[in-house]
Each structure stands twice: as C-alpha cells, then as structure tokens.
C-alpha cells in the first residue's frame, strides 16, 4: 500500500539505469492535493548530501508537491556540481509535472558516497516515471529505493476516515540521528505543515532515532511526511500523531529486521532510569558495544559486556545496584552474578536485554542488531 | 627484558591452574628497593573490577612494593566477595614476601567478567610465584598475563644510567580510557611518586589512551609504574618522562598489532584541527566507524565513510574544506572527490588515514584496527 494508500497521491518506480545491474532505482511520489502540506526530518550528520541540503530548504516552506528519490548513488560529498545535479533533478520533475515548481520538489538519494549521479539517465528516468504515475504505484516506488535491502518496506495505519501510509529503505549505516534511511510518509488527512512537523518529530524521536544497527550515522537520512487533505477530514492531532508514530515504528522495526548481515534483532529496554535521556544514552551505549553484539551473535548471554557498556555512560546509577536480564532471565543482580546464565534461551532471532538502572522511573527502548561475519563481508566488499 | 630490565626488581610467572588449559596465569613483580615509589592509571569505566578498586587505594599512598597479576578471570562484577578475594590475594603476597604490607601490594586481574576466581589455586600460586622470583623473571611474568594475546609484549628504554622497562597484555576491548590492558612498568631511576605520576599520566594520555581496537572500554585497565631507585641516579624529569612515553608507545603499538582478529593496523592522523581535543574527537570517531573498519579490511579506500564519521563530531570544520588522504593519496579534497582512488595501495598491514580539518594547527594520532570476520568469530565464542 505504501505511499499510495492515502488518497490524493500517485507514485511510480522504474529502472532508470543508475544501478549497473538494471534493478529499479528511481521513484516519484506526487501529491495531487487539494492540500500540499509537508514536513521533514533529516540527518544530524554535519556532512550532508546535496539532496539533504536541497530538501531541507524545500521543507522550510512547509510545502512539497512531489518527492523524487533515487538509489544507486547518494550524491554525497560531490561538491557544488553534485548540488547542481540535485537542483536539475527537481527542475526536471517540475517541468514534467504540470503546475509544479522546483522549489516544492523534495529530492532524496541513497547509495555510494562520493560519486556523481549519471544525470542523463536520471533525467530520462524522471520523464519515464512521470508517465507511469499511478494511484497503485506505491509498491513499485518502495522497490525502487532499495539498496542492500533484501525486501522493500511499507506500512499503513488507518484513522477515522483518513490514512497514513509510507515506505522506507535502509539496511546498514543505521544509527540514531537518523538511521541511513529514506522514508516517505503520506496522508490524506487535512493537516497543516505545523501539525505534520509536530507529529513527525515526535514519531521519529522514539522510532527511527532509536534504531542502531551499526552506530554509523549517514549523510543522506531523510524522512518526509506529505499531506494531501484528499479525505476532507481534519483529524484530532493526538490521533494523527499516534498514527504517524505507528507507521514509523512499523517501518523502523522492518529496518532492524533487514539490517545487513544481522542474525539477531536486539531489543534493549533501559528501565528505572533517572531521566529519559539517561535511558537513551545507556541504551545506545549497549547497542553499540561490538563485543556484546558479537556475544549475542554467538548466543552467549554475556551480561558482563552489558555492564561494561553501561559503565562508560554518564547516566545516574550505582554499579552495585545494576540489574540485567537477557530474555527475561536476571543474569545480573546488584552488579554481580544473578540467575543461572544457562537458563537463557537465545535460539530465536529476537533477543531482549533489560537494563535496570535502579535510579528512577524513566525508560526507553533501543533496537539494535548483532555483529556478524556476514556484516563484515557485505561492508568490506560494498564499493569494490 | 620486561619488568626486570631495571635493577631492583624480581619477577615470576607461573601456571596456577586458574586457566583450564594449564597455561601460565599468575605473575608477581616485586620492587626490592631501596625506593618503592609508584604511580597508577586506571580505567575510566564506572563499572570497575575489584582489583581496580583495591589498587587505586594502594596507589593513593604513592607506594607499591609488589604487584600480583592474574589472567584467567577479571574478578569484575563479582560483588563484595570478589573484593574480599582481591584483598586476600594482597594479604597472601604480603605474607609470603618478608617485610611487605598488603596495603602496598597492587592487584590486577584479566579475563572473563562475572566469575569468581578459584582462590585456592590462586593463593597456592602466589606461594609458588614467590619461590620462583628472579632478576630474569620478567619474560615469564609477561607470558603469564596473556589472555587472547598471541604474543607477550615487553619494551625497554635506556636512560643515562637508568632504565625503564615494562610488560603489557591486551588484545581486545581496546578503547581509550584505557584499553583493556594490564601494564606494569618498572624503573631503577630514583624518582618520587609525584614524578612517576606526572610522567605516567602524560605518557598514557598520548599512547594507551589513543589506541582503539573496538571502541569497548574495559572494567580492568591498569597501568602501573614502579621505581626502585636502585640505579642511584636521579634523572631529569623531561628525560624520564620521555623514556616512559617511549615504552608506553612501544607497548601500545604492540597491543594494536596483536588485536583480536585484525588484519590491518590503521594509523589515523588528524591534522590542522582547531584544538587537540577536536583532533582526538575526530580521530576516535573515525577509529570507531564499523563501516570504515570493514572497508579497510576489504582494502577499499572508502573516504566517504571517513567523511561521514567526521560529520558526527562537534569539532570545528567546514564540510566543504575537509581533505582526506589514505596511504598518502588525497582521495578527498574540499569535501569532494580528489585524487584517483585506484592510486591507493592497501596491500600492507599498516594503513594510514590523514584527515585534514583545515581549521587550525593542532593534531593527534589514533591507532585502530580493521573489523574482520575473525574478530566476530573470536568474540562470539569467547565465553562459551
């Protein structure tokens, strides 16, 4: 259902020849209105790809009438010429779509850093995609933005007379702030850009910003939310925000489930923290500990590595009051040996780590992956 | 030459049976004076092993007459009973060595977290080690502290009539502040504890604190410097500090060269930074980027991953002024494509990354390793 689940949107996904292997690599999503409100959240990496710089400007106006996305090249670290390429892409979209302006066309790119895009193929692809725009094109668009993703990712939530749908790509370089992801969400609810922005920021803060496959922050992360108003329904902000969060959570979980080379999805819940910030800091520290990630891969409930990760943070806690459960077995109590580690069953893909800081009442959940030889293989051969 | 290169020291290394495989696992280093000055630097992890808590107290007095070290168990996260074990170990050393007090015996442990040490074997081992103390025992002591180290590590620097020597163990969980290491340095120079402390802190700051094999900070890191004064020479502080730095640098480089599963040693030099802190922050960010570490393993000069790592820091720089060289080929200039990446020869074990922030005149060097399938294999099977 993807980005065309909501009324007022058309989409297409085609093979423009940007990827050498001939797979689909260009997606176009068009908001046919009547409203064209939009909001966006972007990578916090200071080295931003050209399309991120461009789209941040577009979204400042609170309006986006279309989004063009390509895989096969990130257009990052490509200098002023790379930025011109992004600009030319937006101009081309405006040209082939009647009544659109380039300043309202968001651009997103994903793939290798440091190479220019083949603009002849890309611009011809925009024409082809425009010709294939359809109310049923959401699935094809989701397929066209895949890079090392093994499956395309879509999600939908239904409101009372309105819908939020979306697509995502991302399989590596996943880290908070945001993960290496392109996400486009659409809704036919009648929500102004300020309402979209509030809902989107709240949703990404507890979903995409809390998945961490490998601690590596991307240059291209982009999450867009477009509203057509085509349902004619003005939703309650809370209900709308919850629907956006549901779709983001679903897509974020799909990203972790498809992370490069991973054999385990690790749900890290930090409880009894003095503050939510403390809980997030501790969760991320655990999520990024390579030794722990290897242990989880080996189905080894190595709680000592959890404690050593917690110990590197500035969160409020006393070392001799820490408790850790792995798959609900409290293998560490009061900073020392707890229940028998042989009771921990780690055969399944999902592994749950609970870290109890015994310092307050706040909590947070971070999703991560294990570290595997397959991850090393995929990422040591990616650009060669 | 190790810890017995300097006059006034005896050492021993024996197999006490702490390790199941019968390998040497207990080392004893004794300072026979006439002076027994000492200084220590310990892990900044807030979850500290019992021997770290103990030895920090010992070193506060500025005196250490002996150091007992064991591999085969870290005695970390072992609660009050683990601390009693450390205390009993120091008492045993004081008992078997005439005229020593437990409060001047430093203890260091390394191995798995979260298991109690077999104290009967350990205490019997202390007796055996004391009986085997020798002016030529430094090598055996260095061998007895190995865990997953493939080789034992020693280094020596000669001053004008005095000597600094030392031993180190460490092969994984290497990260600044400090790496997972046990290091004992000895000198026969006549230096009071304040002079030792100044020299040791200055040396570790730019050596052990700047190696980072896997970003994981240990619970047990201990670096000790003991002075016997047996040479009768009072050295100039600068010359002494430089000798200590030389030995630390040599040992730190050996740690990186023996890191678990690594196939490359990566020398990351950040130049033209606005401050040394900026240079270190950027160097560590590059050192910890799993995607880059995989790329280096694959001999792929993937400078985009260097830029994306720099972009996550708070250092002063402009993205479009960053330059990156890999093995002296400036593959990234002004934040974009530079010299031909095919010119980069990455066949050798040492890889040099230079990151030019174009923001000042400060610099720093961080040493790291690549990320390999062997690292994953070693660390997913370590405790099982």
């Amino acid at each position: 259902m993807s980005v065309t689940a909501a009324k007022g949107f058309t989409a297409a996904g085609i093979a423009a020849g940007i990827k050498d292997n001939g797979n689909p690599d260009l997606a176009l999503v068009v908001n046919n209105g009547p409203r064209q409100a939009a909001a966006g959240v972007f990578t916090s990496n200071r080295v931003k790809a050209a399309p991120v710089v461009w789209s941040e400007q577009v979204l400042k106006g609170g309006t986006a009438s279309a989004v063009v996305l390509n895989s096969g090249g990130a257009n990052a670290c490509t200098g002023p010429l790379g930025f011109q390429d992004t600009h030319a892409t937006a101009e081309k979209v405006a040209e082939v779509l009647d009544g659109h302006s380039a300043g309202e066309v968001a651009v997103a790119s994903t793939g290798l850093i440091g190479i220019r895009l083949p603009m002849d193929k890309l611009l011809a692809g925009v024409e082809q995609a425009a010709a294939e725009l359809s109310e049923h094109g959401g699935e094809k668009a989701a397929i066209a933005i895949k890079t090392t993703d093994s499956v395309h990712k879509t999600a939908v939530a239904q409101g009372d007379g309105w819908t939020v749908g979306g697509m995502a790509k991302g399989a590596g370089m996943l880290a908070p702030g945001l993960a290496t992801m392109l996400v486009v969400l659409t809704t036919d609810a009648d929500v102004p850009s300020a309402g979209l922005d509030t809902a989107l920021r709240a949703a990404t803060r507890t979903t995409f910003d809390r998945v961490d496959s490998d601690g590596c922050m991307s240059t291209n992360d982009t999450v867009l939310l477009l509203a057509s108003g085509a349902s004619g329904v003005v939703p309650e902000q809370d209900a709308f925000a919850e629907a956006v969060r549901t779709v983001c959570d679903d897509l974020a979980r799909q990203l972790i489930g498809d992370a490069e080379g991973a054999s385990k999805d690790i749900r890290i819940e930090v409880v009894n923290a003095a503050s939510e910030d403390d809980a997030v800091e501790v969760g991320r520290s655990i999520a990024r500990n390579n030794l722990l990630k290897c242990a989880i891969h080996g189905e080894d409930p190595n709680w000592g590595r959890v404690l050593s990760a917690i110990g590197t943070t500035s969160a409020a806690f006393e070392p001799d009051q820490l408790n850790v459960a792995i798959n609900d077995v409290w293998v560490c109590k009061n900073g020392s040996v707890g229940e028998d580690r042989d009771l921990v069953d780690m055969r399944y893909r999902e592994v749950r780590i609970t870290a109890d800081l015994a310092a307050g009442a706040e909590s947070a959940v971070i999703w991560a992956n294990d570290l595997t030889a397959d991850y090393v293989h995929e990422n040591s051969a990616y650009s060669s």
Side-chain angles (χ1 to χ4, degrees), chain A residues 116-141:
Chain A
R116 295 278 301 280
L117 292 169
M119 288 305 292
D120 49 343
K121 293 175 180 169
L122 197 154
L123 297 181
V126 169
E127 288 198 24
Q128 185 189 338
E132 296 188 16
L133 283 169
S134 153
E135 289 176 3
H136 308 289
E139 209 78 9
K140 283 190 176 174

Side-chain angles (χ1 to χ4, degrees), chain A residues 293-369:
Chain A
K293 288 158 70 86
C294 288
I296 300 297
H297 177 54
E299 303 188 345
D300 169 13
N302 196 320
W303 58 267
R305 293 177 181 175
V306 178
L307 254 65
S308 68
I310 297 173
T312 64
T313 70
S314 63
F317 69 84
E318 292 301 325
D320 60 359
Q321 293 176 17
L322 294 171
N323 306 300
V324 174
I326 299 179
N327 284 354
D328 306 320
V329 179
W330 289 94
V331 284
C332 169
K333 289 183 179 174
N334 297 319
S336 184
V337 184
E339 292 173 20
D340 187 353
R341 43 169 283 152
D342 290 343
L343 297 173
V344 183
D345 181 355
M346 299 182 70
R347 286 172 296 172
Y348 303 102
R349 183 170 176 109
E350 184 170 317
V351 174
R352 296 179 307 288
I353 296 176
T354 313
D356 171 8
L357 302 187
E362 299 300 319
S363 65
V365 172
I366 302 281
W367 280 93
N369 294 108

Side-chain angles (χ1 to χ4, degrees), chain A residues 87-171:
Chain A
H87 187 178
T89 305
E91 290 283 0
K92 183 71 178 179
V93 171
E95 175 196 322
V96 299
L97 299 176
D98 251 11
H100 289 250
S101 125
E104 294 176 1
V105 175
V107 181
S109 301
T110 180
L112 275 184
I113 295 175
I115 49 168
R116 295 278 301 280
L117 292 169
M119 288 305 292
D120 49 343
K121 293 175 180 169
L122 197 154
L123 297 181
V126 169
E127 288 198 24
Q128 185 189 338
E132 296 188 16
L133 283 169
S134 153
E135 289 176 3
H136 308 289
E139 209 78 9
K140 283 190 176 174
I143 291 168
I145 59 174
K146 285 170 56 184
T147 52
T148 55
D149 306 67
S150 69
V151 293
H152 63 285
K153 289 128 186 146
T154 65
V156 173
Q158 296 291 347
D160 189 8
W162 48 270
T163 297
V164 177
M167 63 180 185
K169 93 93 205 173

Side-chain angles (χ1 to χ4, degrees), chain A residues 210-229:
Chain A
R210 294 191 185 172
V211 298
D212 193 335
S213 79
D214 60 7
C216 297
M217 189 195 293
S218 158
T219 51
N220 284 59
D221 302 322
T222 300
V223 182
L224 301 174
L225 171 56
L226 279 58
S228 69

Side-chain angles (χ1 to χ4, degrees), chain A residues 18-259:
Chain A
I18 304 168
K19 288 178 179 167
D20 288 337
N21 63 10
N23 284 342
D25 49 21
L26 192 121
L28 186 59
V29 181
V30 178
N31 183 348
N32 302 297
R35 187 190 274 278
Q36 294 180 321
V41 177
F42 301 90
T43 183
S44 51
N45 199 310
R46 292 167 61 198
V47 175
K48 295 179 201 304
V52 169
V53 175
W54 172 268
S55 297
E56 280 184 328
Q57 280 304 116
V58 169
L59 270 294
K60 277 187 183 161
T63 302
S65 62
V67 186
V68 57
L69 311 95
N70 74 275
S71 52
N75 198 9
C77 307
T78 45
L81 296 175
F83 189 79
Q84 285 179 26
D85 292 343
T86 291
H87 187 178
T89 305
E91 290 283 0
K92 183 71 178 179
V93 171
E95 175 196 322
V96 299
L97 299 176
D98 251 11
H100 289 250
S101 125
E104 294 176 1
V105 175
V107 181
S109 301
T110 180
L112 275 184
I113 295 175
I115 49 168
R116 295 278 301 280
L117 292 169
M119 288 305 292
D120 49 343
K121 293 175 180 169
L122 197 154
L123 297 181
V126 169
E127 288 198 24
Q128 185 189 338
E132 296 188 16
L133 283 169
S134 153
E135 289 176 3
H136 308 289
E139 209 78 9
K140 283 190 176 174
I143 291 168
I145 59 174
K146 285 170 56 184
T147 52
T148 55
D149 306 67
S150 69
V151 293
H152 63 285
K153 289 128 186 146
T154 65
V156 173
Q158 296 291 347
D160 189 8
W162 48 270
T163 297
V164 177
M167 63 180 185
K169 93 93 205 173
M173 217 189 231
L174 293 180
L178 305 158
T180 296
M181 55 176 60
L182 302 185
V183 178
V184 180
L185 308 175
T186 58
T187 181
D188 48 19
D190 187 0
V191 183
S193 63
L196 300 178
D197 190 68
T198 302
L200 187 62
R201 285 181 194 282
T204 56
R205 193 178 72 84
T206 60
T207 56
F208 296 122
D209 263 357
R210 294 191 185 172
V211 298
D212 193 335
S213 79
D214 60 7
C216 297
M217 189 195 293
S218 158
T219 51
N220 284 59
D221 302 322
T222 300
V223 182
L224 301 174
L225 171 56
L226 279 58
S228 69
S231 70
V233 179
V234 177
E236 285 204 10
Q237 179 71 20
D238 284 356
F240 178 69
E242 179 55 26
V244 172
R245 206 202 59 79
T246 298
V247 172
C248 288
D249 196 45
D250 189 336
L251 292 172
R253 188 67 188 78
Q254 291 182 51
L255 293 177
I256 280 290
D258 192 30

